[in-house]
Amino acid sequence: MLTLFLLRHAKSSWTDTGLSDFERPLAPRGEKAAPKIGAFMAGAGFEPDFILCSSAQRTRETLALVLPHLGGDAEARLTRGVYEADDEGDLLAQLAALDRETPAPARVLLIGHNPAMQDLALHLTGRGVEADRAALAEKFPTAALAVLTFDADQGWTGLTAQSGLLTHFIRPKELT
């Protein structure tokens, strides 16, 4: 079984208007939410084999706050391609490239940006709790986590529309 953890970066700051979008750091609210999601992941036993993360400042900071909660020795790869993803097709291409890894990871954490993250989650979700699917369709807030599982026979290159089961959709406001 393949598992994809889709994590939108935590809330970013707009305080310094001189920074480019790529350079924006986390806001204090994001600095609080990211470790909560990391702790949730640890408590749920969500341990990625591989982490694919946008190289933007806010996603790197989100990763740094989540990573201490995750067990295992997941390789983390920062890539501008996730930052530049315009839609689900761009992110699917990033995931498909993982089939060239030896061995190909079975549990991947993707940390990125909207609207591409929400587009990808909606594109891949075919089944799951209706309330979670509806909430995901409405909004994929900052620091939210969508967890999808897929038939392992297809590999990352075989991900197709509605082939995934949405097992969890967690928003930081739900965590204490």
Side-chain angles (χ1 to χ4, degrees), residues 96-111:
L98 295 177
D99 280 341
R100 295 191 297 264
E101 300 289 324
T102 306
R107 295 180 314 273
V108 173
L109 169 60
L110 176 60
I111 305 175

Side-chain angles (χ1 to χ4, degrees), residues 8-161:
R8 184 173 174 207
H9 66 79
K11 182 71 175 169
S12 61
S13 173
W14 292 86
T15 304
D16 188 342
T17 58
L19 294 176
S20 70
D21 180 73
F22 188 81
E23 298 169 312
R24 282 190 297 116
L26 291 181
R29 188 173 105 196
E31 292 172 347
K32 291 177 185 169
K36 286 182 181 180
I37 283 292
F40 170 81
M41 290 180 72
F46 295 156
E47 294 183 13
D49 303 321
F50 192 89
I51 301 167
L52 191 59
C53 181
S54 160
S55 56
Q57 182 67 29
R58 60 194 177 274
T59 49
R60 288 183 288 135
E61 289 181 14
T62 299
L63 173 60
L65 293 169
V66 168
L67 200 55
H69 298 278
L70 304 179
D73 297 322
E75 177 186 343
R77 184 172 300 155
L78 301 175
T79 176
R80 187 142 182 139
V82 173
Y83 172 75
E84 294 173 345
D86 289 326
D87 57 30
E88 72 275 4
D90 293 337
L91 291 177
L92 282 169
Q94 298 273 331
L95 291 169
L98 295 177
D99 280 341
R100 295 191 297 264
E101 300 289 324
T102 306
R107 295 180 314 273
V108 173
L109 169 60
L110 176 60
I111 305 175
H113 311 267
N114 259 4
M117 292 290 283
Q118 184 176 22
D119 291 345
L120 179 63
L122 293 172
H123 175 77
L124 292 174
T125 298
R127 302 175 324 274
V129 175
E130 188 55 40
D132 285 345
R133 293 173 67 194
L136 175 61
E138 182 179 323
K139 185 176 182 182
F140 198 140
T142 54
L145 176 72
V147 182
L148 293 103
T149 58
F150 305 88
D151 179 12
D153 294 341
Q154 61 197 11
W156 297 106
T157 55
L159 297 184
T160 59

